[in-house]
Structure formats: C-alpha cells, structure tokens
Amino acid sequence: MARMPTTPEDQIETANPGPLNDYDTIAEGYSTENANSLVNAYYERPAMLELAGDVAGRRILDAGCGSGPLFAELRDRGAVVTGIDASAGMLELARKRLGPDADLRVADLAAPLPFPDDTFDDVTASLVLHYLKDWGPALAELRRVLKPGGRLLVSVDHPFVFTLFAAMAGEKRPKYFEVRNRVEEWTMGGQNARMSFWDRPLHAMTEAFTAAGFRISVISEPPFVPEARELFPEEFREIDPSRTRFLSFLFFVLEAG
C-alpha cells in the first residue's frame, strides 16, 4: 500500500486542505490493492475467515465492507451477508463484484444503523474501527443489531506498531497510552487521499468493548499464510525465515452479552 509520511495532527488543516478518508476518490485503486496485497489478501482476510470458522447459514453484517472481498468469501462459505459502507464509490465496486442481488447499503458506523435489534448472528468489522475517534456509539449499535450470544469480529491497526515506528524515527517518548490522531496520504491508482486514523492503546480497546456489553473471547496476533513469503520476497527479506508472524493488525472475537 503506497503511503506517504504521517502528518502531525496540528498541521492537518493548513498543510493538506480537503476532505479526510475520501474513499470515493481512491475506490478503484484501493480495491485493486486490497485484492492482492500482502497485508490484506495474505494476512488480514485469511485471519478473519479463520476466526469466523463455519458460517454456513449464519446471517452476517459486513460493517465497512468496501468493495466486498470479505463479503464474497463469507457468502461463498454459505453465510447470508449484508454489507454496509460509508463510501458510495466502494459500494458501486462491491455491486459489480457481488451482483445486483447483494444486500449492500450506504451507512456510517458513527450513526445509527438501519437494522432492527437482534438481526445478525455475526458482525465483521474489518479494519474500520480505527477510523473512529469515539468507539462507544459504534460498538453500542453493533451490539444492538447482534443477537444475544452473537459475535463481533474486529481487526484494527496493531496498537504498538506506530509507537514502534515513532521510536525508530527518534521520538524519545512515544505516546502509546494516549488516544491520538494520525493522518497519512495514500496514493492509489494515481489518486491521492488523506486518511485519518485514531490510534489507541490495548487497554482502551478492551475497555471500550466491555463497556459496550461484549465479552472478549479471543485476542489474536495471527501468522501470515504460508505462501506469502514466496509471493512477497522483498517484504520478507529481513525477516527470520523461521518466523511466521509480524506486527501489522490485531484481531478480536467478541461475544454479545
């Protein structure tokens, strides 16, 4: 994924005017990257599917479905899937991938969701929560639309990764224990977009989950799939061949109380 250096929070407005998280602008390029990249296609998505397990017959909400790659995999495994995303451009690509009968809706996780209580057996929130400053309202809504005992499967940026990067760049006191904003410029398919993320420590994540009524059943730092090392030799050049894991994303399986 092509990324430019992070912009400090206090320089966001003056250094880079324009909208944040404009996935409509980079929809085509992002979808292509997501379909084949190491961290998406050979790490994050296989890990989410492994955690989901047997989903045949289960009704699943794919929250932040993007162009639909996880939706497609879950549907192929027998799930009845509904996808939501805040980007109409990404949903247009999802419609092309999934067909006209796919249940796809524009919806923002920061707002009330257009579903009755106790609608879904599972919710997948794949690399989406870290766009939100406040997780409380989104988690409350996801809990509301889940059936009692239903599962919320979450992947987010690993909380230690950017603290490690800051330390490697010479920052003497990285601010791991704060909720802090990070802005990156992405170039996808020849288009640029400014992406805003909210990094938070592990304890802030777990406290948000339990406050919303979830029980944490799994916290996972999974391995990459075996074929990744052969497909991406440059990325693995400096990684010990005996290692099967790297710092990238953190995964949770949560059960609705």
Side-chain angles (χ1 to χ4, degrees), residues 44-171:
E44 192 275 339
R45 202 150 48 246
M48 288 290 277
L49 292 168
E50 178 71 19
L51 291 172
D54 182 4
V55 296
R58 296 181 71 84
R59 189 169 184 187
I60 299 179
L61 175 64
D62 187 5
C65 66
S67 61
L70 182 60
F71 185 124
E73 294 275 9
L74 293 168
R75 188 176 66 177
D76 287 348
R77 288 161 169 74
V80 179
V81 189
T82 295
I84 60 171
D85 202 278
S87 168
M90 295 300 288
L91 288 180
E92 182 178 350
L93 296 177
R95 183 76 62 192
K96 293 177 181 178
R97 179 198 299 267
L98 301 167
D101 296 331
D103 186 3
L104 297 167
R105 313 184 195 189
V106 176
D108 190 339
L109 277 181
L113 298 177
F115 307 107
D117 295 357
D118 305 339
T119 299
F120 298 100
D121 298 299
D122 299 312
V123 173
T124 58
S126 180
L127 303 179
V128 64
L129 286 181
H130 48 221
Y131 291 105
L132 303 176
K133 182 178 182 180
D134 183 1
W135 285 13
L139 290 173
E141 275 296 281
L142 295 176
R143 170 64 189 86
R144 181 185 66 79
V145 302
L146 272 169
K147 297 176 182 177
R151 302 178 302 168
L152 171 59
L153 282 69
V154 173
S155 62
V156 292
D157 285 333
H158 197 293
F160 188 67
V161 168
F162 295 99
T163 301
L164 177 61
F165 287 169
M168 292 172 65
E171 186 175 328

Side-chain angles (χ1 to χ4, degrees), residues 138 151 159 177 200 219 237:
R151 302 178 302 168
F177 289 103
R200 67 198 69 222
I219 300 177
R237 185 177 299 278

Side-chain angles (χ1 to χ4, degrees), residues 38 41 52 94-95 104 114 150 169 174 188 204 242 244:
L38 167 61
R95 183 76 62 192
L104 297 167
M188 301 280 180
S242 66
T244 62

Side-chain angles (χ1 to χ4, degrees), residues 203-230:
H203 78 86
M205 296 182 187
T206 58
E207 288 168 5
F209 294 145
T210 56
F214 289 101
R215 185 179 70 84
I216 301 169
S217 61
V218 176
I219 300 177
S220 178
E221 297 171 309
F224 48 81
V225 298
E227 61 266 33
R229 191 180 293 276
E230 294 181 5

Side-chain angles (χ1 to χ4, degrees), residues 234-253:
E234 289 299 318
E235 285 82 348
F236 287 97
R237 185 177 299 278
E238 297 183 5
I239 296 179
D240 184 336
S242 66
R243 290 174 53 193
T244 62
R245 301 170 193 265
F246 53 78
L247 282 174
S248 183
F249 305 127
L250 190 63
F251 297 78
F252 300 88
V253 178

Side-chain angles (χ1 to χ4, degrees), residues 3 6-9 12-13 16 18-23 26 127-133 135 157 162 180-186 193-200:
R3 296 187 179 184
T6 298
T7 302
E9 183 179 9
I12 290 172
E13 296 302 327
N16 295 291
L20 293 168
N21 300 336
D22 183 8
Y23 267 102
I26 59 169
L127 303 179
V128 64
L129 286 181
H130 48 221
Y131 291 105
L132 303 176
K133 182 178 182 180
W135 285 13
D157 285 333
F162 295 99
R180 58 216 180 276
N181 187 232
R182 166 174 49 91
V183 175
E184 297 182 357
E185 290 208 15
W186 288 3
R194 296 168 56 239
M195 312 304 290
S196 174
F197 305 89
W198 290 92
D199 299 326
R200 67 198 69 222

